[in-house]
Amino acid sequence: MRLTTLPLSPSQHGNGFLPSRHVGGGNRSSARDAELLVLEEAKEQVGSGRSQARVEKPATTDWDWVVEMGGPEYDCLANPLGAVRLTFEKVIASGSHPSAFDGKDWGALDLFRHLLAERSTLSQVPILDSSTIRLVQPHTLVRYRGMIQDMLGNELYVGAYKHGSSWRTNKFADVSQYPMCSSPSPSSDTCIWERRLLYCVPVPGQNSWTQPSYQPMLNRNVGSSSQSREKRQRIDDQDIQDMDMITDDELKTSPLAKKMREDGNCSPSSGFRASMTEGYFSSMNTYQDVDNESLPCLVKIYDSPESELKLNDIFEFIGVLTFDSEPEAEMSDYDEISNSFSDDALIHLPPNKVPRLHCLVHRKLAVHDFLQSSPIPEPKPHMVKEVRGSLLRHLTAVLGNDGIAAHFVLLHLLSRVHSRVDNVVVGKLSLNLTGLSKESVSVFGTRLSNFVASLLPFSRCLPITLEYLNAASLAPKKDYQINRLTPGVLQMPEGSHLIIDETQLKAGLLNAVGVENARLLKSLMDFQKVEYDFQYYKMDMTTDIQLLIFSDGKSNIIPADVVIPFQPSSADSYEKVDATTQEAWRWYLATVRTLPHSIESDMQKVVEDDLVAARQADRSLGSGDFSRWLTMGRLMCSSFGETHLSMEHWQMVKELERLRRERLK
């Protein structure tokens, strides 16, 4: 990596290394001081060993710093906006007009896609969460992994505008780089574009083992964070002085001044300066408002079809962070154009609590993306069989040597919805372990819950009591006062595992809320759907959540697909497993459940004959039972890494079902 100085035209200044500040008519002395500050910071980086940069003397007074990474004249990681603006200027210089883009990409995204295709480069992009938000630098490239919890619609913004004789762009930014005209309406000098707003949250129920190690990134940012803080303070001191240079004529024509006159304030000049100064000092500790446990993020989407992003999907968004743990009182906070197009919904999502990420690249995440490693490259049957055997033995020990229950739990953990026919959900296998009391669930229920959490990326345990049912908010609800979707307990991503503990549920009366919650749980169990309440109407959202119920007797609120009495024979402790074995189990559960499945014609005839014979022997059997047997056959086959149902696997399913029914007698 080589740091060079290149002579740039005046139209190429402010490419993102320093925050843009526009006060008065522009202070040439302040601008020069800022340039010298960049030079000083670059020299310190070289001296501290954090960069192998070579500092060269600028050729002219009109210069800026850019970093060369493999050829490009910008640093896409530390200065992504500089890369975006440079590509924009090159396209404009070639004769294109911004109105021809209509907000679409002009080549900037291809640059980042190519760069991030390299795993080594992607690993250098820090992951944004509550533990790193105070260390990552604003206006740099970050990654955010989360679930789309709400879709806030579209937002209009000034995508391109003329500054003097040059066109500028605001794409992938919250505020303008240079002052814009006061009229928010589209004109020959402005282009109004559109972007989508997504409210994302950390994945509900995400287990700690899925979190990557932040130590390398933290070590890389601690030093630069403290030094940049000192530099920023010196710039801030100069900016506070520059506030006094704003003329009264400029204040009188601003939207803020007009609003103050409407409110009866006769001195917009003094009021504006007071509000600017107060806003500056009151925001110095803004980062303390961030939730220490979870960090939501407002993701702004560009150039992406709506069909690619769905509610409750898990995505990794890579883009420009516009959250600053030490926010600065910038004139851009009062940017006339930006404020004219602000959305009321964003008022309830302040930047001091919800950082903004302007997405450049995104990808949908699967379970494998949360695994730290894949010890087995391909699901070869003989290798899968070994992993299956070790997993089943350990699961049997966790369940007090109840091998039958262990087999059913294994099939349950491999289940997933793979098709829907009308109201019939094919592939799910919910499980109800009965015979558990408060005492036994504290041992075996806790064991199994912890075991599931150690193997699956997303899992939650929901203790059900009468009081909880009568008060809980299980379904998401739309709040039109803040124009937000209030999350519910059952708003979970596909592939989640939910344990429902009914051992503390006592007899009593359910109120209207309790009846509704019981109905919601039953609908989730039967149809794998969650009903969202939009006040004026309700909408069913499909999902895929594995459900496991602990109860004393058969659950009447949530009837499961499989009910099996739990019969442990030992409460002895079990051996802990090493990390390699645990990773192999995680890979096994994530891989074999996605294997394709088919039944050969000869095997299909065997299955049909067995179902007919079973129906003749027991008239109480129905289509639901037969569907469950076929699902178990598919899961049994997949558990061995096979894609075709064999006679051996089908016999194992019938034997398991026979043993289960004997326990029910």
Side-chain angles (χ1 to χ4, degrees):
M1 183 182 295
R2 183 169 61 90
L3 187 66
T4 63
T5 59
L6 300 179
L8 301 177
S9 65
S11 65
Q12 291 175 302
H13 278 298
N15 67 349
F17 271 98
L18 291 176
S20 302
R21 303 168 186 269
H22 314 292
V23 292
N27 189 334
R28 295 183 63 86
S29 176
S30 298
R32 182 56 182 166
D33 290 343
E35 290 176 345
L36 293 176
L37 190 58
V38 179
L39 176 60
E40 177 187 350
E41 182 173 4
K43 290 180 178 179
E44 290 183 9
Q45 288 180 351
V46 175
S48 63
R50 288 185 289 110
S51 172
Q52 300 298 323
R54 178 171 58 88
V55 180
E56 300 176 358
K57 184 178 180 180
T60 66
T61 56
D62 289 330
W63 57 272
D64 204 344
W65 293 90
V66 291
V67 178
E68 293 183 1
M69 292 185 59
E73 299 176 341
Y74 32 72
D75 186 346
C76 292
L77 300 183
N79 182 24
L81 289 180
V84 170
R85 290 164 181 166
L86 187 56
T87 57
F88 178 79
E89 291 171 2
K90 287 183 178 180
V91 172
I92 296 300
S94 67
S96 300
H97 193 276
S99 60
F101 303 144
D102 192 25
K104 303 303 180 183
D105 179 47
W106 54 77
L109 296 185
D110 291 337
L111 173 71
F112 285 94
R113 291 192 185 104
H114 178 75
L115 178 72
L116 298 172
E118 297 292 335
R119 182 174 294 273
S120 59
T121 304
L122 182 62
S123 63
Q124 297 180 41
V125 181
I127 293 180
L128 179 68
D129 64 9
S130 57
S131 64
T132 62
I133 184 62
R134 294 166 178 81
L135 295 172
V136 294
Q137 297 298 306
H139 312 299
T140 60
L141 208 63
V142 299
R143 287 185 287 166
Y144 182 84
R145 288 183 164 190
M147 183 189 78
I148 302 176
Q149 193 270 322
D150 195 5
M151 295 182 167
L152 303 181
N154 294 347
E155 176 186 59
L156 297 177
Y157 72 104
V158 179
Y161 63 97
K162 258 194 173 182
H163 176 246
S165 60
S166 302
W167 279 99
R168 311 291 183 188
T169 182
N170 284 332
K171 195 170 184 180
F172 308 111
D174 283 321
V175 296
S176 59
Q177 184 186 11
Y178 295 94
M180 294 185 292
C181 64
S182 59
S183 174
S185 58
S187 67
S188 59
D189 292 339
T190 59
C191 295
I192 307 302
W193 296 342
E194 200 171 26
R195 55 194 176 196
R196 297 174 62 198
L197 302 180
L198 303 178
Y199 182 75
C200 301
V201 298
V203 183
Q206 183 172 352
N207 292 310
S208 59
W209 61 265
T210 63
Q211 302 291 348
S213 174
Y214 299 113
Q215 198 58 43
M217 188 274 291
L218 296 181
N219 293 337
R220 185 168 63 249
N221 282 278
V222 167
S224 60
S225 177
S226 59
Q227 294 193 20
S228 63
R229 192 174 295 120
E230 297 173 1
K231 313 261 184 321
R232 190 178 301 140
Q233 182 62 46
R234 292 200 292 270
I235 300 176
D236 293 339
D237 294 340
Q238 179 64 42
D239 281 346
I240 294 175
Q241 298 175 11
D242 292 341
M243 290 180 191
D244 296 331
M245 301 176 61
I246 305 175
T247 65
D248 288 342
D249 291 338
E250 290 172 323
L251 289 178
K252 291 177 182 178
T253 59
S254 69
L256 178 62
K258 296 175 183 177
K259 185 179 186 302
M260 294 174 68
R261 285 196 296 271
E262 293 173 358
D263 295 339
N265 192 324
C266 300
S267 180
S269 177
S270 61
F272 181 81
R273 290 193 180 94
S275 63
M276 285 289 293
T277 307
E278 179 183 356
Y280 175 78
F281 288 107
S282 65
S283 63
M284 289 301 293
N285 292 321
T286 295
Y287 68 91
Q288 295 180 356
D289 293 334
V290 173
D291 189 345
N292 290 328
E293 297 299 326
S294 62
L295 181 72
C297 186
L298 183 64
V299 180
K300 301 194 176 187
I301 300 293
Y302 306 79
D303 309 311
S304 177
E306 292 189 9
S307 59
E308 286 187 2
L309 300 152
K310 297 181 181 179
L311 198 67
N312 303 331
D313 279 351
I314 304 173
F315 273 85
E316 180 178 68
F317 301 98
I318 306 176
V320 183
L321 172 68
T322 57
F323 175 91
D324 194 345
S325 61
E326 296 174 307
E328 302 142 348
E330 302 182 16
M331 287 299 296
S332 56
D333 290 340
Y334 294 90
D335 184 277
E336 298 165 356
I337 294 290
S338 298
N339 286 343
S340 299
F341 290 103
S342 63
D343 195 317
D344 291 340
L346 302 187
I347 296 175
H348 303 281
L349 301 173
N352 61 330
K353 293 184 178 180
V354 184
R356 272 64 170 155
L357 188 145
H358 295 262
C359 181
L360 291 158
V361 180
H362 65 265
R363 67 185 181 103
K364 187 176 180 180
L365 299 181
V367 173
H368 278 93
D369 294 305
F370 291 90
L371 303 183
Q372 301 301 321
S373 62
S374 299
I376 305 177
E378 295 181 3
K380 297 180 179 179
H382 69 282
M383 300 178 70
V384 170
K385 187 175 181 180
E386 293 179 3
V387 178
R388 180 189 186 276
S390 65
L391 174 59
L392 187 60
R393 286 191 297 272
H394 188 79
L395 186 55
T396 302
V398 169
L399 293 175
N401 294 329
D402 188 343
I404 298 176
H407 273 88
F408 275 103
V409 170
L410 176 60
L411 298 183
H412 160 74
L413 294 176
L414 296 176
S415 64
R416 69 181 180 93
V417 176
H418 57 80
S419 64
R420 296 174 185 267
V421 182
D422 297 328
N423 286 329
V424 179
V425 183
V426 181
K428 70 183 183 71
L429 190 71
S430 54
L431 181 63
N432 182 188
L433 293 180
T434 63
L436 286 164
S437 61
K438 292 181 181 179
E439 294 74 20
S440 60
V441 80
S442 64
V443 177
F444 298 106
T446 301
R447 282 184 180 183
L448 185 55
S449 178
N450 292 337
F451 182 69
V452 169
S454 69
L455 298 183
L456 302 182
F458 322 116
S459 65
R460 302 179 72 173
C461 186
L462 191 64
I464 295 293
T465 63
L466 191 66
E467 294 75 19
Y468 181 85
L469 286 175
N470 286 334
S473 297
L474 298 185
K477 296 181 180 179
K478 183 74 172 183
D479 187 341
Y480 287 97
Q481 290 185 349
I482 61 175
N483 198 26
R484 284 281 317 286
L485 184 66
T486 304
V489 176
L490 298 183
Q491 187 176 9
M492 304 171 65
E494 292 186 356
S496 298
H497 188 276
L498 180 61
I499 294 178
I500 299 177
D501 183 3
E502 291 187 12
T503 57
Q504 300 181 42
L505 184 62
K506 299 179 181 179
L509 295 177
L510 293 175
N511 58 20
V513 175
V515 172
E516 178 66 12
N517 284 333
R519 187 186 66 82
L520 289 170
L521 290 172
K522 188 177 186 302
S523 176
L524 175 62
M525 181 71 72
D526 292 339
F527 309 113
Q528 285 291 304
K529 293 181 179 180
V530 177
E531 189 177 76
Y532 285 49
D533 186 357
F534 291 91
Q535 292 190 19
Y536 305 107
Y537 64 96
K538 295 184 178 181
M539 178 182 294
D540 286 334
M541 303 290 289
T542 60
T543 187
D544 185 2
I545 300 175
Q546 298 172 330
L547 289 163
L548 175 61
I549 301 98
F550 298 153
S551 61
D552 185 9
K554 179 182 177 181
S555 175
N556 293 321
I557 297 179
I558 317 170
D561 297 317
V562 176
V563 178
I564 178 170
F566 179 50
Q567 298 178 357
S569 60
S570 172
D572 296 339
S573 60
Y574 51 90
E575 296 181 359
K576 292 185 178 181
V577 297
D578 57 84
T580 302
T581 302
Q582 206 166 40
E583 289 174 358
W585 292 347
R586 292 167 183 166
W587 175 90
Y588 168 82
L589 293 176
T591 302
V592 300
R593 69 193 303 259
T594 62
L595 291 176
H597 178 72
S598 63
I599 303 178
E600 301 293 343
S601 57
D602 55 343
M603 192 63 213
Q604 184 175 351
K605 182 64 169 59
V606 172
V607 172
E608 290 176 355
D609 292 342
D610 285 347
L611 296 182
V612 171
R615 171 66 173 170
Q616 292 175 346
D618 186 353
R619 291 292 179 178
S620 64
L621 296 176
S623 59
D625 298 293
F626 298 151
S627 176
R628 184 181 71 252
W629 292 359
L630 291 174
T631 297
M632 291 172 59
R634 177 190 184 113
L635 297 175
M636 184 67 73
C637 175
S638 298
S639 72
F640 285 93
E642 303 284 353
T643 58
H644 302 284
L645 182 64
S646 66
M647 179 64 73
E648 179 186 2
H649 299 149
W650 180 243
Q651 293 295 338
M652 293 176 68
V653 168
K654 293 197 299 180
E655 180 63 14
L656 269 181
E657 184 66 7
R658 184 188 67 80
L659 295 174
R660 183 188 72 87
R661 292 175 69 86
E662 283 186 358
R663 287 192 178 187
L664 292 174
K665 294 179 180 179

